[in-house]
Amino acid sequence: MFKKRYVVSTVLVVLIAAILVFQSRIGKGRITDTPVYPIKTIEKVLSSATKGTGDFFRTYILPREGLEKRELNARLRKLQEESNKYIEAELENKRLRDMLDLKSQRPEFVTSAEVFARDPSNWYQVIWINKGSDDGVEKEMIAVTPAGVVGRIHRIFNDSSSVILLTDASSALAVRMQSTRAEGILEGRGGNICYLKYVSSEAEVEVGDAVISSGLDKIFPEGLVVGYVTELVKDEGGIFHTIKVAPSQDLNALEEVAILKR
């Protein structure tokens, strides 16, 4: 009996040792995987389900969201363009209404014109308008806006003309202080500021005073607003003031002008 048990035990030990040696040589295999096989199967099913859900979102949900976002952006751009057109139309209508008011107020009115070019040089303050001799424009006529004097006509073609701005170094016009009636000559020097000369040092001048055309040069009609005093430099012992004047019309923001006779 004892001998039989000894033989069985020996066989079992040898069998287990053989299995261990076999596994060590082949690595992971069916024998060791067998206990966890159901778990791995469940994991694969869950993994496939998760992958399928991700593919569904990438294939159907995400593209739809991207399409809706692009459509919303396109509608937003269209609304912004329409809003910009509306604002531009309102501003243009206001400028044209102001120009019509100017036409009704000035008997010297000849025509209105659009500014289509500007001299890019810093040496000359010149703009170009789309009206010329065919529209009755002549040399030395005056360009103005409802805000004030712009300059005078210089070169003329059939369908266009150039305008020398107040701020050009060659520009000069006779003016007077609106409050004190003191007279002088307004000159440009190529920048955005004009200089008022020959105003007596005894004249009362203050920053903010309006400067208007006097008509004494026989070019610019009398009473047009030209600009406003921005700085007064008193020269002790001098006989004239040194006065800086800013044009009443922003000469860097011109779109339409009216042409007046001399």
Side-chain angles (χ1 to χ4, degrees):
M1 185 66 179
F2 173 78
K3 185 176 180 180
K4 186 177 180 179
R5 290 181 178 177
Y6 176 78
V7 172
V8 171
S9 298
T10 301
V11 170
L12 288 174
V13 169
V14 171
L15 181 61
I16 292 171
I19 292 172
L20 292 174
V21 170
F22 179 73
Q23 285 183 331
S24 67
R25 291 186 176 182
I26 65 174
K28 294 175 65 178
R30 288 181 178 277
I31 296 176
T32 54
D33 288 345
T34 300
V36 297
Y37 180 74
I39 297 174
K40 288 192 173 181
T41 301
I42 294 172
E43 181 184 357
K44 288 182 179 180
V45 171
L46 293 175
S47 177
S48 298
T50 303
K51 183 175 181 299
T53 303
D55 291 343
F56 176 76
F57 273 94
R58 284 191 292 273
T59 304
Y60 299 103
I61 302 301
L62 294 181
R64 181 180 294 277
E65 290 180 351
L67 178 61
E68 291 176 350
K69 186 177 181 180
R70 287 194 295 273
E71 290 177 348
L72 287 174
N73 288 335
R75 291 177 61 186
L76 179 60
R77 285 194 297 271
K78 187 175 181 179
L79 288 174
Q80 289 174 335
E81 290 174 0
E82 292 176 351
S83 174
N84 184 58
K85 289 180 181 178
Y86 175 78
I87 292 172
E88 287 297 311
E90 280 293 301
L91 292 174
E92 184 179 13
N93 287 336
K94 182 180 185 308
R95 293 197 305 271
L96 294 178
R97 286 196 299 270
D98 292 342
M99 199 65 74
L100 287 175
D101 290 341
L102 176 64
K103 179 181 179 180
S104 64
Q105 296 168 6
R106 304 299 308 195
E108 310 94 337
F109 184 91
V110 176
T111 185
S112 60
E114 294 180 1
V115 178
F116 70 87
R118 177 182 291 271
D119 192 314
S121 167
N122 290 327
W123 295 98
Y124 302 102
Q125 300 280 316
V126 176
I127 60 171
W128 286 85
I129 60 175
N130 66 344
K131 296 290 179 65
S133 58
D134 289 347
D135 305 286
V137 178
E138 299 177 3
K139 191 171 182 178
E140 301 295 349
M141 283 186 171
I142 311 307
V144 302
T145 71
V149 176
V150 171
R152 55 186 169 83
I153 300 295
H154 178 52
R155 300 180 64 188
I156 301 177
F157 297 90
N158 292 339
D159 57 357
S160 62
S161 306
S162 68
V163 178
I164 294 180
L165 303 179
L166 289 177
T167 48
D168 188 84
S170 66
S171 175
L173 70 151
V175 298
R176 63 167 55 101
M177 306 301 300
Q178 191 173 43
S179 58
T180 64
R181 318 309 284 180
E183 297 174 350
I185 301 296
L186 191 76
E187 295 181 347
R189 295 187 181 178
N192 294 320
I193 295 293
C194 297
Y195 289 79
L196 178 53
K197 301 172 63 177
Y198 311 122
V199 174
S200 171
S201 59
E202 296 180 355
E204 294 292 332
V205 180
E206 295 183 0
V207 172
D209 282 352
V211 179
I212 61 174
S213 57
S214 67
L216 299 179
D217 52 22
K218 305 299 181 184
I219 298 177
F220 291 83
E222 182 180 1
L224 296 173
V225 178
V226 176
Y228 298 94
V229 174
T230 59
E231 186 177 350
L232 174 64
V233 181
K234 292 187 176 180
D235 182 10
E236 297 296 335
I239 59 175
F240 299 115
H241 284 306
T242 300
I243 303 171
K244 293 183 179 180
V245 177
S248 54
Q249 165 66 51
D250 183 356
L251 301 180
N252 293 313
L254 290 167
E255 295 184 73
E256 296 95 10
V257 296
I259 306 302
L260 306 182
K261 296 178 183 176
R262 297 172 56 179

